[in-house]
Amino acid sequence: MATLKHNITGNITQQLLAAGDSVNVSSVLLSNIHASNNVTVSLFIEKQNANKFFIVKALEIPYGVSVLLDSEIPTFDNRNSGFALFIQLNSSDSAVDVMIN
């Protein structure tokens, strides 16, 4: 079963949903949980060995702020699409909670 709630830290690219997780994504809530710094977030879908398709690229979220991405999210069912969902943060001390609906 896919994990729909994530605590993401650091500046590595992290997979949130794998292709075939059978999740119909309709919205993503991003919450900056860093104590004092803004965070820059990129969220994208990608097929293995294919191009990235950015949902948001370099979105700056002030500390203590949450952003709901619903109309920006192309609703997709990753069961058969072959797409996985990824996030990337801008710095090693970044901290974001992610909730996928």
Side-chain angles (χ1 to χ4, degrees), residues 31-97:
S31 299
N32 182 351
I33 58 169
H34 192 278
S36 60
N37 291 338
N38 295 351
V39 64
T40 303
V41 176
S42 293
L43 189 69
F44 59 92
I45 57 175
E46 182 177 31
K47 284 187 178 182
Q48 187 174 4
N49 300 321
N51 292 336
K52 295 178 185 176
F53 297 95
F54 283 91
I55 297 164
V56 293
K57 185 172 183 177
L59 173 67
E60 187 170 351
I61 303 173
Y63 72 93
V65 172
S66 297
V67 175
L68 177 63
L69 303 172
D70 55 359
S71 60
E72 297 84 357
I73 298 286
T75 300
F76 71 98
D77 183 345
N78 76 337
R79 175 180 41 227
N80 297 316
S81 69
F83 282 102
L85 179 65
F86 294 88
I87 191 169
Q88 184 173 21
L89 307 181
N90 66 314
S91 68
S92 61
D93 69 340
S94 296
V96 173
D97 283 346

